[in-house]
Each structure stands twice: as C-alpha cells, then as structure tokens.
Amino acid sequence: MSKLLIIEDEKNLARFIELEMQHEGYETVVAVDGRVGLELALSDKWDAILLDLLLPELNGMEVCRRIRQTNKTIPIIMITARDSVLDRVSGLDSGADDYIVKPFAIEELLARLRSLFRRVEALKSNEVTALVFKDLVVELESCVVKKGEVLISLTKREYDLLVTFMSNINIVLSREVLLNKVWGYSTGVETNVVDVYVRYLRNKIDDQNEGHYIHTVRGIGYVMR
C-alpha cells in the first residue's frame, strides 16, 4: 500500500482528497500547515507528497525546497489555485515533479500519481547505480553529482536533466523530448524552459577552458558528447 502525505490547509479539500485516495487503496496522512507538513515529510518515509502552494506557517515552495535538501527522489505534486506560467515554473523549480491547478478532477490527480509511480519503478528496475561521462559522475542511489572530486549542487530539475543527458550520450534530444522526459507531462510551460535549464546546468558543470559538455543542435535540441 502506497503511503501519501497530503499537505493542504483547505480542510474540506484535504478531506475530499484523503477519502478519494483511501478509496483507491492509498494510506494517507493530512497536515494543514506547512511547518507540520515539513516535519512529517522529514520524519517518515512516503511514497508521494501532495503539497499545496499557499500554506500557513511555511509556504509550499519553501516546504518543497527543504524536502529536496534531503530527498531528491520522492514524487511531489504541487496543488495550487495559481496557474500563471511564472507560478508553474517557480513551483517546478522549487523541486516539484508535477503541478496541478485547482479546481481539478480527482481522476486527473490520480492519473498523475500513477504516472509518477511508473517513473519511480522504472528507475528502481534499472540496475545501473552510477552514470559516468568524462569527469562527471552521477551516483544514482545517493543523487550525488561530482566533477572529478568536486561535489556539484544541483536543483532537482537540473539533476533530472543531467541524468537524462548522461543516459543518452551521443543521442540528440529535442526540446519536446527533454520536456517530456524531465517534466513528464504537459506543464503548460513552453519548450524554451528547456533552454533556460540547460543554461543553468552548463553554468554549473562546464569549465571555460574545456568547452561544453552539452552541445546545441541548431533547430533540434541538445546532445551530450
């Protein structure tokens, strides 16, 4: 039985989600403010977290950032009434895997959960424990990234992007493919968000004297080679 943490301050909505998830066979725990939610998130093992953006005590983005400091892999779906592109990008950049806007159909939320669980299972079934390219090393179990002996700190989105490139060495990946592989669904965000994150990643892994690890393929996308 999968264990879900629901962090939502609208009690009626939280109860509705809780009942629907229990009906689908999930074990659930509810927190109605960000501080309690963070404590629960860090003190127990969860299969996924449903996280509201606008929370009392500690907002959802800060909760998400603090969770990601210790756990880069747990699926997090952010739930919010804000639907602008900036809000979506900010939510994803804080470390959320998915983003759903209120009001939503419970069937959509369930489908997104199933999609995230499939991705987690696919990663677990992969026997590879580390990815290596030149002097870059990604330790998949610990989510540690090194360049030589130097640790590189990445956000979850940057980390997922790097893993995607290092799992597809010498394969040209279009922006659409990267958006699907890294974000995993239609976010409502334009594909140019990929360009933004590639730039972030290059700034952290490139050496000015060595050139780019990730190369631009004009009119198509990017390739690591």
Side-chain angles (χ1 to χ4, degrees):
M1 181 182 292
S2 296
K3 189 174 180 181
L4 305 182
L5 174 60
I6 302 166
I7 310 176
E8 169 61 66
D9 66 320
E10 293 182 34
K11 294 183 179 180
N12 289 339
L13 178 58
R15 181 58 176 162
F16 170 70
I17 295 173
E18 180 182 33
L19 290 174
E20 291 290 337
M21 294 299 158
Q22 290 175 351
H23 179 71
E24 293 293 322
Y26 295 106
E27 180 183 347
T28 62
V29 174
V30 174
V32 295
D33 72 62
R35 197 166 299 280
V36 172
L38 179 62
E39 291 175 359
L40 287 170
L42 298 180
S43 64
D44 206 343
K45 185 175 181 180
W46 307 94
D47 294 294
I49 297 174
L50 307 179
L51 176 62
D52 188 28
L53 177 60
L54 299 177
L55 292 167
E57 302 296 331
L58 202 62
N59 70 61
M61 286 191 188
E62 185 59 28
V63 172
C64 192
R65 289 190 189 98
R66 296 192 189 185
I67 292 172
R68 288 300 183 217
Q69 288 175 0
T70 59
N71 190 326
K72 292 186 182 295
T73 60
I74 183 172
I76 298 176
I77 298 179
M78 195 162 280
I79 301 172
T80 179
R82 295 182 174 180
D83 63 351
S84 72
V85 170
L86 178 60
D87 289 323
R88 290 171 186 260
V89 171
S90 297
L92 295 169
D93 198 24
S94 70
D97 295 281
D98 204 339
Y99 190 106
I100 191 166
V101 178
K102 303 174 186 177
F104 54 83
I106 195 67
E107 292 81 5
E108 181 183 1
L109 180 57
L110 288 167
R112 293 188 181 210
L113 265 176
R114 290 192 296 269
S115 176
L116 286 177
F117 286 148
R118 285 195 298 269
R119 292 169 64 191
V120 170
E121 287 303 313
L123 288 174
K124 287 181 179 179
S125 65
N126 190 340
E127 296 182 356
V128 176
T129 59
L131 298 172
V132 180
F133 178 67
K134 297 182 179 179
D135 59 347
L136 284 176
V137 178
V138 176
E139 297 175 6
L140 297 174
E141 293 183 355
S142 61
C143 298
V144 169
V145 178
K146 295 180 180 178
K147 182 178 180 182
E149 296 300 318
V150 179
L151 288 173
I152 298 176
S153 177
L154 301 178
T155 67
K156 183 180 187 302
R157 201 65 56 189
E158 293 163 352
Y159 173 83
D160 289 345
L161 188 59
L162 179 60
V163 168
T164 299
F165 279 122
M166 292 183 66
S167 300
N168 294 276
I169 298 299
N170 294 322
I171 297 174
V172 177
L173 301 172
S174 70
R175 290 170 177 82
E176 290 78 10
V177 167
L178 288 168
L179 193 64
N180 182 60
K181 284 181 174 290
V182 177
W183 281 260
Y185 68 103
S186 177
T187 64
V189 178
E190 299 295 331
T191 54
N192 61 7
V193 74
V194 173
D195 301 329
V196 174
Y197 278 92
V198 168
R199 185 171 70 250
Y200 291 161
L201 187 55
R202 280 173 169 169
N203 287 340
K204 292 186 177 182
I205 66 174
D206 282 352
D207 187 310
Q208 291 183 350
N209 298 322
E210 298 175 359
H212 293 315
Y213 289 85
I214 302 167
H215 300 270
T216 302
V217 181
R218 190 179 299 276
I220 302 177
Y222 298 95
V223 60
M224 178 172 270
R225 62 187 176 204

